Amino acid sequence: NCGALSESLLDSELFGHEKGAFTGAVATRKGAFELADGGTLFLDEVGELPMETQAALLRVIEGKGFRRVGGTEMIQPDVRLVVATNRDLRGASSDGSFREDLYYRLEVIPLHLPPLRERREDIRLLVDHFMVKKCGEMNIPLKRLSAEAVKGLISYPWPGNVRELENLVRRLAALYPQDEISAEIIEQELRAAGALRASQSEALPEEATLTQAVEQHLQRYFAQFGDQLPPAGLYQRVLADVEQPLLIAALTATGGNQLKAADLLGLNRNTLRKKIRDYGINIYRGAG
């Protein structure tokens, strides 16, 4: 995942390093290209690569090979390269944020994966898969969705694509004790998500407004429990549930500028990039 690694670590992860190449390099280490020799290497979020690493990647693709960090030996691996991105690399190559020569080297057999709203027949299959996965992780009985609940999911536009669906299923598994999730629960969850997204798009929020957005989200969160105590492990569950809308609000406030959003939140930019990736936030189409 190229978007989850800091620039200082990328070259070492991709191309390896020699012992003593930098502080902490206590042994020679092969990188991803060497490990994939004779096979396939998948680079996710390739549009997030810094320019220097783009140049090195171009050299590998052109068959000129690479040297490990701190090394002198030229290594020329035989690797099938598959890359993915949610960015418009053609547009990025036009505005200079992605190397044009690398773009044309990568665009040999392009495959376009439609957003979830354009392949709604996958939703039921994905829900079943994620529910088995999440219930297994939490060691709780498997839950199911009613037929009407599934219809509600199919009618939703899913601006956050598959990761938004996965996060919803995780929430359903964690927060609702009943064996069957009803259409009313789905309607409540999707209404809350839509209301929060609408409130974030109305204006460019300052820090106080960001706090208000999170407070409103928390109020809706606790309202569903009524007089009942919320489930155990509340801190981690609330944190995961609130963090995503906070990130979306900050990105909306800064027009999708990750550096400004990181400054606003007091986060390292690489930490923010990883969280954007983890939550499936599409900053290029707009928040959410």
Side-chain angles (χ1 to χ4, degrees):
N1 182 356
C2 301
L5 296 172
S6 65
E7 295 183 15
S8 61
L9 289 177
L10 261 173
D11 283 353
S12 176
E13 288 292 325
L14 292 176
F15 309 120
H17 61 255
E18 297 290 346
K19 180 179 180 180
F22 50 83
T23 303
V26 296
T28 296
R29 181 177 181 274
K30 292 183 178 181
F33 272 98
E34 272 189 272
L35 295 172
D37 189 22
T40 301
L41 176 60
F42 174 54
L43 299 181
D44 199 7
E45 298 296 344
V46 72
E48 303 303 319
L49 287 175
M51 280 294 181
E52 295 79 3
T53 310
Q54 290 181 33
L57 178 58
L58 180 63
R59 289 194 296 272
V60 176
I61 293 174
E62 291 177 339
K64 298 176 183 178
F66 64 89
R67 294 182 177 87
R68 296 182 190 134
V69 176
T72 58
E73 178 188 359
M74 183 63 69
I75 301 169
Q76 294 178 302
D78 177 17
V79 174
R80 177 196 294 113
L81 191 62
V82 179
V83 303
T85 182
N86 64 354
R87 293 187 63 182
D88 174 14
L89 290 189
R90 184 186 294 272
S93 65
S94 299
D95 64 27
S97 60
F98 195 84
R99 290 184 63 113
E100 186 175 29
D101 47 3
L102 177 58
Y103 166 72
Y104 285 112
R105 283 289 189 177
L106 294 174
E107 195 196 34
V108 179
I109 306 176
L111 300 173
H112 173 66
L113 181 63
L116 190 56
R117 64 180 178 274
E118 295 179 11
R119 47 191 176 98
R120 298 178 186 274
E121 65 277 6
D122 290 350
I123 290 176
R124 181 58 194 257
L125 295 172
L126 288 168
V127 167
D128 291 344
H129 166 72
F130 290 139
M131 190 62 80
V132 170
K133 177 182 177 182
K134 301 305 176 184
C135 290
E137 290 173 354
M138 300 177 193
N139 195 26
I140 59 177
L142 182 64
K143 303 177 189 295
R144 62 183 182 276
L145 273 68
S146 71
E148 291 301 315
V150 173
K151 289 180 181 178
L153 295 180
I154 292 175
S155 64
Y156 182 68
W158 298 108
N161 279 311
V162 176
R163 282 188 181 83
E164 183 182 5
L165 177 61
E166 182 176 9
N167 287 336
L168 172 63
V169 173
R170 178 179 62 181
R171 203 155 57 242
L172 295 173
L175 298 181
Y176 297 96
Q178 52 266 58
D179 294 334
E180 183 175 86
I181 304 298
S182 66
E184 289 73 22
I185 291 175
I186 295 299
E187 182 181 358
Q188 172 184 309
E189 288 285 338
L190 297 182
R191 188 188 304 117
L196 181 63
R197 189 172 291 108
S199 69
Q200 292 162 353
S201 62
E202 288 174 358
L204 300 181
E206 299 294 338
E207 184 174 353
T209 311
L210 289 176
T211 303
Q212 292 170 4
V214 174
E215 288 176 347
Q216 292 170 3
H217 187 73
L218 281 172
Q219 289 171 4
R220 287 193 296 269
Y221 184 93
F222 282 103
Q224 64 187 286
F225 298 114
D227 296 331
Q228 300 292 322
L229 286 175
L234 184 62
Y235 175 78
Q236 290 297 333
R237 292 172 182 176
V238 170
L239 181 63
D241 204 31
V242 171
E243 188 174 40
Q244 181 179 8
L246 177 60
L247 297 177
I248 292 173
L251 288 163
T252 301
T254 57
N257 187 306
Q258 295 181 53
L259 185 58
K260 291 182 179 179
D263 288 341
L264 178 62
L265 295 168
L267 292 174
N268 178 277
R269 184 187 178 189
N270 290 320
T271 300
L272 177 63
R273 289 168 64 181
K274 182 179 185 303
K275 291 180 181 295
I276 289 171
R277 169 66 180 170
D278 290 345
Y279 285 115
I281 301 171
N282 190 339
I283 64 172
Y284 303 101
R285 191 187 57 207

